[in-house]
Amino acid sequence: MRIDLNADLGESWQRWRSGEDVELLDVVTSANVCCGAYAGDAELMRVTCEAAVERGVAIGAQVGYPDRAGFGRAPWNVPADELAAELLGQVLLLDEIARAAGGRVAYVKPHGALYNTIVHDEVHARAVVAAIQQLVAPVPLLGLPGAVSLDLAAARGIPVVHEGFADRAYTSDGRLVARSEAGAVLDDPQAVAAQAVRLLGEVASICVHSDSPGALQLARAVRSALEGAGAEVASAP
């Protein structure tokens, strides 16, 4: 069984300079690189892409609401066409940087509030799909199983990748528990690794957040557990 292991990267110069992001790139198979809208900047995108290419890690465009004050985790009320244009610009910028580093954007993964909104909101889901459709070569969309965005993408011939979260709690209907609720973020390596193994067969990519407490330890525990369960850990797209 093949499974992708992804992490959100390029969000913080602090994590880059501490070496945390670099060490995560030695564990994961896909890097969701922040496109500068809610965090990061072009230079951080560049060094992250260069490090990913050097390690053979797939580069994904982590697009989001342009909300640096709220780290893209607050809803953003904007018309669909304006959102589509914003997201397209984010992907194109990262792709230009990635290609200069010898790579390319291999997939799109929305971030934070946008990710959760397009699970059920058709207007913003259509905006995400519209942005991908405007690329010269549309790339896969990562998302939560059952999300409206994935249904719309698949209907338009865009490949979709079902994603699960090792370090997030789930509701009974398969959605993510809001970060504002207690226990929403899991930080015990054994529990996180066990959840990752449970997700095998249900999703094609598993995420460990780089800003979770002890993210590097969690990612290593997850990869070890997945390989111990007989999975081949490799990029999905």
Side-chain angles (χ1 to χ4, degrees), residues 111-147:
H111 163 82
L114 178 60
Y115 187 97
N116 290 308
T117 296
I118 62 175
V119 168
H120 58 81
D121 185 296
E122 188 170 322
V123 174
H124 279 196
R126 287 187 183 280
V128 172
V129 173
I132 295 175
Q133 284 184 297
Q134 292 179 67
L135 298 173
V136 173
V139 296
L141 173 64
L142 265 68
L144 206 63

Side-chain angles (χ1 to χ4, degrees), residues 56-214:
V57 173
I59 297 170
Q62 179 124 61
V63 298
Y65 294 135
D67 166 34
R68 298 183 74 86
F71 196 63
R73 286 179 173 159
W76 196 46
N77 186 16
V78 64
D81 58 346
E82 185 177 331
L83 177 59
E86 166 66 33
L87 300 178
L88 176 61
Q90 292 179 34
V91 177
L92 291 177
L93 174 60
L94 180 64
D95 192 53
E96 179 182 353
I97 292 171
R99 288 182 184 278
R104 67 179 180 87
V105 167
Y107 62 92
V108 170
K109 176 184 172 179
H111 163 82
L114 178 60
Y115 187 97
N116 290 308
T117 296
I118 62 175
V119 168
H120 58 81
D121 185 296
E122 188 170 322
V123 174
H124 279 196
R126 287 187 183 280
V128 172
V129 173
I132 295 175
Q133 284 184 297
Q134 292 179 67
L135 298 173
V136 173
V139 296
L141 173 64
L142 265 68
L144 206 63
V148 170
S149 57
L150 297 191
D151 291 340
L152 292 173
R156 285 157 179 75
I158 296 172
V160 300
V161 178
H162 290 173
E163 180 184 35
F165 292 82
D167 57 357
R168 290 294 308 278
Y170 282 84
T171 64
S172 59
D173 62 352
R175 302 297 183 247
L176 298 178
V177 173
R179 283 180 174 270
S180 58
E181 296 187 24
V185 178
L186 311 180
D187 59 8
D188 177 75
Q190 286 188 320
V192 168
Q195 178 152 296
V197 172
R198 287 197 299 272
L199 288 166
L200 282 173
E202 298 179 12
V203 298
S205 186
I206 293 176
C207 176
V208 175
H209 288 90
S210 61
D211 61 348
S212 288

